[in-house]
Amino acid sequence: MTEKTPSDRPDFNKLVELMATLRGEGGCAWDREQTLRSLPKYLIEEAYELVDAVADDDTDSIEEEVGDLFFLLLFFAQIGREEGRFDVFGAIERTYHKMVRRHPHVFGDASARNANEVLAHWHGIKAHEYTDENGKPPSAIGNIPRHLPALFKAQKIQRNVSRVGFDWGKAEEVLAKAEEELGELREAIRSGDKHALAEELGDLLFSIANFARFLNVESEEALEQTNKKFIRRFQEMEAKLTASGRPLTDYTLEEMDAEWERAKLSESPPHGSKQR
């Protein structure tokens, strides 16, 4: 990272002005065409690019992606300002006061000895904030974003209902439920009912995600690790088999399987375990 003096750095207001210029008369045609509904896909893409940079522990990329994500948020705020709905300064003010309110152990008289107590404060305050005019608290799962990735969303649903006591007692019970769902999936396969098959497969995935939660494993991260492992092994197999110039489709499944097993054996055993 190149060191700069404060006078060399564009300040926040300049970035806000830059965004307004891009959206204004004589600005960028593409920027001017965007709406609040067209931007979310770019926001998701930028967020995942930041996640990748963090996973790679690439400092330059992290800094760049934080900036890109920040700029895209300003894009939302600029459109909100143009439509007379909100602006970036109002958004910042709301977040500032919300964070102060939700950290009474820092800015108030409450105490929290550990992260679990901090979360208890947070969820209690959040529930109070969303209580309606009749004093009715919100649904335990009413504020979960609809567009979360399904596996991540499943565990969030399960965590939320657990906080109100709707949960299994131990991991073995959850595993038994997953095994029950697997049996129901087998029955659906035998029946040939595609609707039932999809439903039972969904139930099985939900149960597996719940079992992962009991093991304190993030199911989304666990599946992504398997994705990466599969990609790594497949590309190693692919490179070995196609090095002679023959396309992969010329090889039999047995030949590919043999090279796949060699790719597995070439990897170092994780955490000092014996390679099987």
Side-chain angles (χ1 to χ4, degrees):
M1 181 175 66
T2 305
E3 290 294 330
K4 295 182 180 179
T5 63
S7 61
D8 294 328
R9 292 179 178 271
D11 63 19
F12 177 75
N13 287 313
K14 283 187 177 179
L15 193 58
V16 173
E17 291 170 6
L18 175 63
M19 185 72 256
T21 299
L22 291 172
R23 289 276 300 173
E25 292 293 335
C28 171
W30 185 88
D31 290 325
R32 287 168 54 83
E33 287 179 358
Q34 302 313 305
T35 67
L36 290 178
R37 290 188 177 274
S38 72
L39 291 178
K41 59 180 176 288
Y42 303 112
L43 178 67
I44 292 169
E45 181 180 344
E46 292 293 349
Y48 277 116
E49 287 178 4
L50 175 56
V51 170
D52 284 349
V54 171
D56 294 339
D57 197 23
D58 184 333
T59 300
D60 286 341
S61 292
I62 293 171
E63 182 182 46
E64 179 179 356
E65 299 304 338
V66 166
D68 290 348
L69 188 56
F70 189 67
F71 188 73
L72 193 55
L73 294 174
L74 285 181
F75 214 143
F76 280 88
Q78 176 61 30
I79 296 175
R81 179 184 179 185
E82 293 165 4
E83 296 178 355
R85 299 167 68 176
F86 65 94
D87 64 18
V88 67
F89 300 103
I92 290 172
E93 183 179 15
R94 288 186 68 162
T95 295
Y96 176 87
H97 290 302
K98 180 166 66 176
M99 291 303 109
V100 169
R101 188 170 63 249
R102 291 186 183 178
H103 290 80
H105 55 291
V106 177
F107 302 108
D109 298 329
S111 61
R113 293 168 295 181
N114 52 53
N116 287 334
E117 291 188 3
V118 170
L119 286 176
H121 281 304
W122 179 277
H123 292 300
I125 294 167
K126 189 173 179 180
H128 179 72
E129 289 173 352
Y130 288 103
T131 297
D132 67 19
E133 62 274 9
N134 298 316
K136 182 180 178 181
S139 166
I141 54 175
N143 63 347
I144 293 177
R146 299 190 308 276
H147 296 96
L148 283 177
L151 202 57
F152 181 81
K153 185 177 183 180
Q155 280 197 309
K156 191 167 182 64
I157 291 169
Q158 292 154 0
R159 287 193 182 97
N160 282 24
V161 300
S162 177
R163 293 190 191 105
V164 297
F166 190 72
D167 205 355
W168 297 92
K170 51 188 178 180
E172 290 79 3
E173 295 172 345
V174 187
L175 183 58
K177 179 62 177 177
E179 291 169 343
E180 176 188 326
E181 297 294 353
L182 179 59
E184 292 178 3
L185 175 60
R186 289 193 175 105
E187 289 179 11
I189 293 171
R190 286 192 292 269
S191 74
D193 185 333
K194 290 186 177 181
H195 176 76
L197 193 154
E199 181 176 352
E200 297 302 339
L201 181 58
D203 290 348
L204 177 60
L205 290 170
F206 191 85
S207 296
I208 292 297
N210 206 15
F211 184 57
R213 177 178 65 91
F214 265 79
L215 299 179
N216 292 317
V217 172
E218 292 292 336
S219 53
E220 191 80 25
E221 293 176 11
L223 181 57
E224 179 56 17
Q225 288 301 313
T226 295
N227 289 340
K228 290 177 179 178
K229 180 172 63 177
F230 184 93
I231 290 170
R232 185 175 63 249
R233 290 175 179 175
F234 183 87
Q235 289 181 334
E236 182 176 341
M237 174 200 75
E238 184 179 39
K240 290 285 180 62
L241 292 178
T242 59
S244 63
R246 288 173 61 193
L248 199 60
T249 51
D250 278 2
Y251 289 90
T252 66
L253 178 58
E254 290 73 18
E255 289 172 317
M256 286 191 280
D257 275 340
E259 193 58 52
W260 174 273
E261 291 300 322
R262 281 191 283 272
K264 284 176 61 177
L265 290 171
S266 69
E267 295 179 354
S268 298
H271 309 301
S273 62
K274 293 183 179 180
Q275 183 72 48
R276 294 186 178 180

